[in-house]
Amino acid sequence: MPEDASLTDFASGDDGESDDGESDDEPASGVEVADESDGDASHNDPADDETLATDDVEPAETTFAWSPDGVCEACGEAAERRWRGEAGLVCGECKEW
């Protein structure tokens, strides 16, 4: 099995040149860059975008927690590592896998 590659194996040179000889700061030849001012400005108004309604979105919950003074919410025992269960954050013994 080969050794793991280091980050320097993937780093580009300090000259800002890519492998094809073009600068990373400029678009590749033959590629047009869209002007941000093109188009109707009303399409960019977030207030008109109905997809931004967050009333129907449930907030994300953690699936795992670690704390030195953690307590299992199911059995009440001290547990540094706890996973999300029906009772909340529970120890490995109380977690239904």
Side-chain angles (χ1 to χ4, degrees), residues 1-50:
M1 175 176 253
E3 292 185 35
D4 290 340
S6 70
L7 291 176
T8 57
D9 294 340
F10 300 100
S12 64
D14 292 338
D15 59 359
E17 297 281 326
S18 62
D19 290 341
D20 59 3
E22 294 182 6
S23 172
D24 292 336
D25 296 335
E26 297 177 15
S29 59
V31 176
E32 289 187 35
V33 178
D35 185 9
E36 293 179 13
S37 63
D38 287 348
D40 187 5
S42 66
H43 293 296
N44 296 331
D45 186 8
D48 293 338
D49 192 1
E50 292 180 22

Side-chain angles (χ1 to χ4, degrees), residues 56-93:
D56 299 333
V57 178
E58 293 182 28
E61 288 186 309
T62 61
T63 58
F64 174 80
W66 181 91
S67 64
D69 56 346
V71 176
C72 175
E73 294 181 22
C75 67
E77 294 291 321
E80 288 183 348
R81 296 179 180 179
R82 295 167 293 145
W83 292 264
R84 178 75 50 196
E86 289 183 22
L89 291 171
V90 298
C91 66
E93 297 291 322

